[in-house]
Amino acid sequence: MAGLGRGAGGLGRCSHAVVRAPPESLSRQALRRKAKASEVVDFARAEREFQLYVAVLKSKLGLQVLELPADESLPDCVFVEDVAVVCEETALLTRPGAPSRRKEVEAMKRALESLSLNIVEMTDEQATLDGGDVLFTGREFFVGLSNRTNRRGAEILADTFKDYAVSTVPVSDSLHLKSFCSMAGPNLIAIGSSEAAQKALKTMQQMSDHRYDKLTVPDDEAANCIYLNIPGKGHILLHRTPEEYPESAKVFEKLKDHMLIPIANTELGKVDGALTCCSVLINKTSQL
Ligand code: GLY
Protein backbone atom coordinates (compact mmCIF):
# COMPACT_ATOMS: atom_id res chain seq x y z
CA MET A 1 0.00 0.00 0.00
CA ALA A 2 2.38 2.71 -1.17
CA GLY A 3 1.68 6.30 -2.15
CA LEU A 4 3.50 9.45 -3.17
CA GLY A 5 3.43 11.09 0.24
CA ARG A 6 3.69 14.80 0.99
CA GLY A 7 5.25 17.05 3.58
CA ALA A 8 3.57 17.49 6.93
CA GLY A 9 3.26 21.28 6.65
CA GLY A 10 -0.54 21.24 6.56
CA LEU A 11 -0.98 19.02 9.60
CA GLY A 12 -3.35 20.56 12.11
CA ARG A 13 -4.81 23.16 9.73
CA CYS A 14 -8.49 23.25 10.41
CA SER A 15 -11.48 25.44 9.61
CA HIS A 16 -14.45 23.24 10.58
CA ALA A 17 -15.32 20.53 13.07
CA VAL A 18 -18.22 18.10 13.26
CA VAL A 19 -19.28 17.00 16.75
CA ARG A 20 -22.30 15.16 18.11
CA ALA A 21 -23.83 15.55 21.55
CA PRO A 22 -23.72 12.54 23.89
CA PRO A 23 -27.08 10.77 24.40
CA GLU A 24 -28.18 9.76 27.92
CA SER A 25 -28.11 6.13 26.75
CA LEU A 26 -24.31 6.41 26.68
CA SER A 27 -24.10 5.96 30.46
CA ARG A 28 -25.47 2.43 30.43
CA GLN A 29 -25.26 1.26 26.85
CA ALA A 30 -22.11 2.64 25.26
CA LEU A 31 -19.64 -0.07 24.34
CA ARG A 32 -16.70 -0.45 26.68
CA ARG A 33 -13.94 -2.88 27.35
CA LYS A 34 -14.42 -5.34 30.20
CA ALA A 35 -11.73 -3.63 32.29
CA LYS A 36 -13.96 -0.56 32.55
CA ALA A 37 -17.28 -2.36 33.04
CA SER A 38 -17.75 -1.24 36.66
CA GLU A 39 -17.01 2.48 36.15
CA VAL A 40 -20.13 4.62 36.56
CA VAL A 41 -20.59 7.48 34.09
CA ASP A 42 -21.78 10.77 35.59
CA PHE A 43 -23.83 11.91 32.61
CA ALA A 44 -24.27 15.51 33.74
CA ARG A 45 -20.50 15.79 34.07
CA ALA A 46 -20.01 14.10 30.69
CA GLU A 47 -22.25 16.76 29.14
CA ARG A 48 -20.38 19.58 30.83
CA GLU A 49 -17.01 18.25 29.70
CA PHE A 50 -18.32 17.83 26.17
CA GLN A 51 -19.72 21.38 26.12
CA LEU A 52 -16.36 22.72 27.24
CA TYR A 53 -14.63 20.76 24.47
CA VAL A 54 -17.00 22.27 21.90
CA ALA A 55 -16.55 25.76 23.37
CA VAL A 56 -12.77 25.45 23.00
CA LEU A 57 -13.10 24.50 19.33
CA LYS A 58 -15.69 27.16 18.61
CA SER A 59 -15.05 30.16 20.83
CA LYS A 60 -11.39 29.85 21.74
CA LEU A 61 -10.07 28.55 18.41
CA GLY A 62 -12.65 30.08 16.08
CA LEU A 63 -13.61 26.92 14.17
CA GLN A 64 -16.97 26.59 12.47
CA VAL A 65 -18.54 23.76 14.45
CA LEU A 66 -21.40 21.65 13.11
CA GLU A 67 -23.17 20.21 16.13
CA LEU A 68 -25.23 17.11 15.38
CA PRO A 69 -28.01 16.21 17.82
CA ALA A 70 -27.69 13.22 20.13
CA ASP A 71 -29.53 10.06 19.10
CA GLU A 72 -30.67 7.94 22.04
CA SER A 73 -30.74 4.82 19.84
CA LEU A 74 -27.01 5.25 19.17
CA PRO A 75 -25.28 5.20 22.59
CA ASP A 76 -21.78 5.75 21.12
CA CYS A 77 -22.75 8.51 18.69
CA VAL A 78 -20.65 11.18 20.46
CA PHE A 79 -17.54 9.39 19.15
CA VAL A 80 -17.82 10.87 15.66
CA GLU A 81 -14.17 10.29 14.77
CA ASP A 82 -14.91 6.60 14.18
CA VAL A 83 -17.38 7.17 11.34
CA ALA A 84 -15.39 9.44 9.01
CA VAL A 85 -11.78 9.97 7.99
CA VAL A 86 -11.27 13.35 6.36
CA CYS A 87 -8.09 14.35 4.58
CA GLU A 88 -7.99 17.58 2.61
CA GLU A 89 -11.36 17.74 0.83
CA THR A 90 -12.06 14.00 0.73
CA ALA A 91 -14.11 12.19 3.36
CA LEU A 92 -14.20 8.43 3.74
CA LEU A 93 -17.35 7.34 5.54
CA THR A 94 -16.34 4.22 7.41
CA ARG A 95 -18.04 0.93 8.15
CA PRO A 96 -17.56 0.82 11.94
CA GLY A 97 -16.42 -2.49 13.39
CA ALA A 98 -19.22 -2.63 15.95
CA PRO A 99 -22.55 -3.36 14.21
CA SER A 100 -24.39 -1.24 16.82
CA ARG A 101 -22.48 1.81 15.51
CA ARG A 102 -23.12 1.48 11.78
CA LYS A 103 -26.12 3.83 11.70
CA GLU A 104 -24.00 6.65 13.14
CA VAL A 105 -22.66 7.13 9.62
CA GLU A 106 -25.96 8.49 8.28
CA ALA A 107 -25.95 11.83 10.13
CA MET A 108 -22.24 12.26 9.44
CA LYS A 109 -22.86 11.78 5.73
CA ARG A 110 -25.39 14.61 5.72
CA ALA A 111 -23.02 16.87 7.67
CA LEU A 112 -20.10 16.24 5.34
CA GLU A 113 -22.32 16.70 2.28
CA SER A 114 -23.29 20.11 3.64
CA LEU A 115 -19.58 20.99 3.56
CA SER A 116 -19.36 19.87 -0.09
CA LEU A 117 -16.59 17.36 0.57
CA ASN A 118 -15.84 14.56 -1.89
CA ILE A 119 -17.48 11.63 -0.16
CA VAL A 120 -16.43 7.99 -0.49
CA GLU A 121 -18.57 5.36 1.21
CA MET A 122 -17.21 2.08 2.50
CA THR A 123 -19.87 -0.25 1.16
CA ASP A 124 -17.87 -3.51 1.08
CA GLU A 125 -19.48 -5.78 3.67
CA GLN A 126 -16.14 -7.50 4.27
CA ALA A 127 -14.55 -4.23 5.40
CA THR A 128 -14.54 -2.64 8.83
CA LEU A 129 -12.78 0.55 9.86
CA ASP A 130 -13.04 2.84 12.90
CA GLY A 131 -11.47 6.28 12.55
CA GLY A 132 -9.93 5.76 16.00
CA ASP A 133 -7.60 3.30 14.30
CA VAL A 134 -6.39 5.87 11.77
CA LEU A 135 -3.35 8.00 12.55
CA PHE A 136 -2.59 10.58 9.85
CA THR A 137 0.83 12.15 10.33
CA GLY A 138 0.55 14.70 7.53
CA ARG A 139 2.91 12.51 5.46
CA GLU A 140 1.32 9.08 5.67
CA PHE A 141 -1.38 7.00 7.33
CA PHE A 142 -0.97 4.30 9.94
CA VAL A 143 -4.01 2.06 10.38
CA GLY A 144 -4.42 -0.12 13.45
CA LEU A 145 -5.65 -3.63 12.78
CA SER A 146 -7.82 -4.13 15.85
CA ASN A 147 -11.06 -5.77 16.88
CA ARG A 148 -12.79 -2.90 15.05
CA THR A 149 -10.66 -2.47 11.91
CA ASN A 150 -9.62 -5.12 9.42
CA ARG A 151 -7.23 -5.35 6.50
CA ARG A 152 -9.98 -4.77 3.90
CA GLY A 153 -10.92 -1.53 5.69
CA ALA A 154 -7.27 -0.42 5.53
CA GLU A 155 -7.13 -1.27 1.81
CA ILE A 156 -10.18 0.86 1.09
CA LEU A 157 -8.62 3.75 3.02
CA ALA A 158 -5.46 3.35 0.88
CA ASP A 159 -7.57 3.38 -2.31
CA THR A 160 -9.34 6.53 -1.13
CA PHE A 161 -6.25 8.53 -0.18
CA LYS A 162 -3.94 7.44 -2.98
CA ASP A 163 -1.46 10.29 -2.51
CA TYR A 164 -0.33 8.87 0.80
CA ALA A 165 1.41 5.71 1.95
CA VAL A 166 -0.71 3.54 4.25
CA SER A 167 0.86 1.05 6.67
CA THR A 168 -0.94 -1.27 9.05
CA VAL A 169 -0.07 -1.78 12.72
CA PRO A 170 -1.37 -4.65 14.88
CA VAL A 171 -3.40 -3.45 17.88
CA SER A 172 -4.40 -6.06 20.43
CA ASP A 173 -4.46 -4.68 23.98
CA SER A 174 -6.43 -1.48 23.31
CA LEU A 175 -9.64 -0.49 21.62
CA HIS A 176 -7.94 1.53 18.87
CA LEU A 177 -4.51 2.57 17.62
CA LYS A 178 -5.17 6.09 18.89
CA SER A 179 -6.02 4.76 22.36
CA PHE A 180 -2.30 5.23 23.04
CA CYS A 181 -0.94 7.65 20.43
CA SER A 182 -1.69 10.73 18.32
CA MET A 183 0.11 13.58 16.58
CA ALA A 184 1.29 16.32 18.96
CA GLY A 185 2.92 18.41 16.23
CA PRO A 186 3.88 18.29 12.54
CA ASN A 187 6.63 15.73 13.09
CA LEU A 188 5.85 14.66 16.62
CA ILE A 189 4.12 11.46 17.69
CA ALA A 190 2.74 11.42 21.24
CA ILE A 191 3.00 7.89 22.56
CA GLY A 192 2.09 6.13 25.79
CA SER A 193 4.57 4.18 27.88
CA SER A 194 2.90 0.78 27.96
CA GLU A 195 4.67 -2.12 26.33
CA ALA A 196 1.93 -2.36 23.69
CA ALA A 197 2.22 1.35 22.84
CA GLN A 198 6.00 1.21 22.55
CA LYS A 199 5.77 -1.90 20.37
CA ALA A 200 3.28 -0.20 18.05
CA LEU A 201 5.56 2.85 17.79
CA LYS A 202 8.47 0.62 16.85
CA THR A 203 6.36 -0.97 14.13
CA MET A 204 5.40 2.47 12.79
CA GLN A 205 9.04 3.58 12.80
CA GLN A 206 10.04 0.44 10.91
CA MET A 207 7.30 0.94 8.30
CA SER A 208 8.11 4.58 7.62
CA ASP A 209 10.76 6.22 5.44
CA HIS A 210 10.45 9.27 7.67
CA ARG A 211 11.99 9.83 11.11
CA TYR A 212 9.42 11.22 13.53
CA ASP A 213 10.22 12.77 16.87
CA LYS A 214 8.40 11.18 19.79
CA LEU A 215 6.85 12.59 22.91
CA THR A 216 6.54 9.80 25.45
CA VAL A 217 3.98 10.28 28.21
CA PRO A 218 3.54 7.95 31.19
CA ASP A 219 -0.18 7.33 30.59
CA ASP A 220 -1.47 5.76 27.37
CA GLU A 221 -4.81 7.59 27.62
CA ALA A 222 -3.03 10.95 27.83
CA ALA A 223 -1.11 10.22 24.62
CA ASN A 224 -4.34 10.90 22.76
CA CYS A 225 -4.23 14.66 22.26
CA ILE A 226 -5.32 17.06 19.49
CA TYR A 227 -2.79 19.14 17.60
CA LEU A 228 -4.04 22.14 15.63
CA ASN A 229 -2.29 24.86 13.68
CA ILE A 230 -4.61 27.83 13.40
CA PRO A 231 -3.54 30.95 11.48
CA GLY A 232 -2.92 33.78 13.92
CA LYS A 233 -2.84 31.38 16.87
CA GLY A 234 -0.02 28.99 15.93
CA HIS A 235 0.62 25.54 17.36
CA ILE A 236 -2.13 24.42 19.72
CA LEU A 237 -2.36 21.25 21.76
CA LEU A 238 -5.52 20.06 23.50
CA HIS A 239 -4.43 17.53 26.11
CA ARG A 240 -5.77 15.78 29.20
CA THR A 241 -5.74 17.77 32.43
CA PRO A 242 -3.14 17.63 35.24
CA GLU A 243 -5.97 16.51 37.56
CA GLU A 244 -6.49 13.40 35.45
CA TYR A 245 -2.91 12.60 34.47
CA PRO A 246 -0.45 14.73 36.48
CA GLU A 247 2.72 13.04 35.26
CA SER A 248 1.71 13.16 31.59
CA ALA A 249 0.62 16.80 31.92
CA LYS A 250 4.14 17.65 33.11
CA VAL A 251 5.50 16.29 29.83
CA PHE A 252 3.10 18.43 27.78
CA GLU A 253 3.98 21.49 29.87
CA LYS A 254 7.56 21.26 28.61
CA LEU A 255 6.39 21.99 25.03
CA LYS A 256 7.37 25.61 24.63
CA ASP A 257 6.09 26.23 21.07
CA HIS A 258 2.51 25.13 21.72
CA MET A 259 -0.46 26.92 23.22
CA LEU A 260 -1.54 24.25 25.71
CA ILE A 261 -5.24 23.74 26.43
CA PRO A 262 -6.01 21.13 29.10
CA ILE A 263 -9.39 19.43 28.58
CA ALA A 264 -11.02 17.03 31.03
CA ASN A 265 -12.48 13.83 29.65
CA THR A 266 -13.13 11.88 32.84
CA GLU A 267 -16.57 10.54 31.92
CA LEU A 268 -16.28 9.61 28.24
CA GLY A 269 -12.96 8.01 29.14
CA LYS A 270 -14.95 5.45 31.16
CA VAL A 271 -16.48 4.19 27.91
CA ASP A 272 -13.15 4.20 26.05
CA GLY A 273 -13.53 7.67 24.55
CA ALA A 274 -10.46 9.87 24.09
CA LEU A 275 -10.08 13.51 23.03
CA THR A 276 -9.75 12.85 19.30
CA CYS A 277 -12.86 10.61 19.34
CA CYS A 278 -15.26 13.53 19.82
CA SER A 279 -14.64 15.52 16.65
CA VAL A 280 -14.00 15.20 12.94
CA LEU A 281 -11.66 18.03 11.98
CA ILE A 282 -11.78 19.47 8.49
CA ASN A 283 -9.79 22.09 6.62
CA LYS A 284 -12.07 23.59 3.97
CA THR A 285 -9.90 25.44 1.51
CA SER A 286 -12.43 25.73 -1.30
CA GLN A 287 -15.48 28.00 -1.09
CA LEU A 288 -18.67 26.56 0.33
N1 GLY B 1 -17.33 3.37 23.41
C1 GLY B 1 -16.55 3.57 22.26
C2 GLY B 1 -16.57 2.37 21.39
O1 GLY B 1 -16.47 1.32 21.93
O2 GLY B 1 -16.72 2.40 20.20
Side-chain angles (χ1 to χ4, degrees), residues 152-174:
R152 184 71 194 119
E155 283 168 3
I156 293 172
L157 183 134
D159 285 347
T160 305
F161 302 109
K162 285 197 168 66
D163 285 350
Y164 293 98
V166 177
S167 305
T168 56
V169 187
V171 172
S172 50
D173 295 343
S174 304

Side-chain angles (χ1 to χ4, degrees), residues 30-32 76 79 82 98 101 130 148 175-176 271-273:
L31 301 171
R32 56 169 104 184
D76 284 287
F79 301 124
D82 290 321
R101 300 199 54 191
D130 278 13
R148 297 289 178 84
L175 176 62
H176 290 133
V271 288
D272 296 321

Side-chain angles (χ1 to χ4, degrees), residues 106-117:
E106 293 168 10
M108 179 58 69
K109 182 178 177 189
R110 290 191 292 275
L112 297 178
E113 281 172 348
S114 78
L115 293 174
S116 301
L117 297 176

Side-chain angles (χ1 to χ4, degrees), residues 140-215:
E140 60 192 312
F141 286 94
F142 293 105
V143 178
L145 297 181
S146 67
N147 281 341
R148 297 289 178 84
T149 296
N150 66 16
R151 200 165 280 285
R152 184 71 194 119
E155 283 168 3
I156 293 172
L157 183 134
D159 285 347
T160 305
F161 302 109
K162 285 197 168 66
D163 285 350
Y164 293 98
V166 177
S167 305
T168 56
V169 187
V171 172
S172 50
D173 295 343
S174 304
L175 176 62
H176 290 133
L177 175 64
K178 285 191 291 189
S179 300
F180 52 76
C181 69
S182 62
M183 295 310 289
N187 193 41
L188 185 60
I189 297 180
I191 187 80
S193 293
S194 70
E195 203 178 311
Q198 292 295 316
K199 192 171 164 195
L201 177 67
K202 204 166 171 192
T203 304
M204 292 191 274
Q205 287 168 330
Q206 284 166 349
M207 302 287 233
S208 181
D209 293 336
H210 185 72
R211 294 276 71 86
Y212 295 99
D213 296 325
K214 66 175 175 174
L215 183 73

Side-chain angles (χ1 to χ4, degrees), residues 24-179:
E24 281 185 53
S25 57
L26 172 138
S27 307
R28 290 181 176 277
Q29 292 167 27
L31 301 171
R32 56 169 104 184
R33 285 171 309 138
K34 278 207 186 88
K36 300 201 169 190
S38 61
E39 294 187 28
V40 178
V41 175
D42 175 341
F43 184 70
R45 187 169 179 188
E47 277 189 311
R48 285 196 301 278
E49 290 179 349
F50 175 77
Q51 283 158 7
L52 204 65
Y53 177 94
V54 174
V56 165
L57 297 178
K58 198 160 43 175
S59 310
K60 200 170 177 83
L61 302 179
L63 304 185
Q64 304 270 341
V65 180
L66 276 72
E67 297 182 57
L68 307 180
D71 183 332
E72 291 298 333
S73 71
L74 299 171
D76 284 287
C77 68
V78 65
F79 301 124
V80 287
E81 171 185 59
D82 290 321
V83 298
V85 178
V86 180
C87 183
E88 289 140 22
E89 301 248 350
T90 297
L92 173 63
L93 289 166
T94 69
R95 187 166 181 275
S100 66
R101 300 199 54 191
R102 302 243 163 96
K103 276 191 183 305
E104 292 174 32
V105 175
E106 293 168 10
M108 179 58 69
K109 182 178 177 189
R110 290 191 292 275
L112 297 178
E113 281 172 348
S114 78
L115 293 174
S116 301
L117 297 176
N118 310 312
I119 292 181
V120 178
E121 293 184 67
M122 193 173 273
T123 51
D124 185 336
E125 293 191 358
Q126 302 306 312
T128 61
L129 184 95
D130 278 13
D133 276 315
V134 179
L135 179 69
F136 179 60
T137 70
R139 298 174 179 276
E140 60 192 312
F141 286 94
F142 293 105
V143 178
L145 297 181
S146 67
N147 281 341
R148 297 289 178 84
T149 296
N150 66 16
R151 200 165 280 285
R152 184 71 194 119
E155 283 168 3
I156 293 172
L157 183 134
D159 285 347
T160 305
F161 302 109
K162 285 197 168 66
D163 285 350
Y164 293 98
V166 177
S167 305
T168 56
V169 187
V171 172
S172 50
D173 295 343
S174 304
L175 176 62
H176 290 133
L177 175 64
K178 285 191 291 189
S179 300

Side-chain angles (χ1 to χ4, degrees), residues 260-286:
L260 298 173
I261 306 179
I263 301 209
N265 187 47
T266 63
E267 302 312 301
L268 298 184
K270 293 173 183 170
V271 288
D272 296 321
L275 291 181
T276 63
C277 303
C278 297
S279 55
V280 171
L281 301 173
I282 299 153
N283 193 30
K284 253 326 269 179
T285 48
S286 65

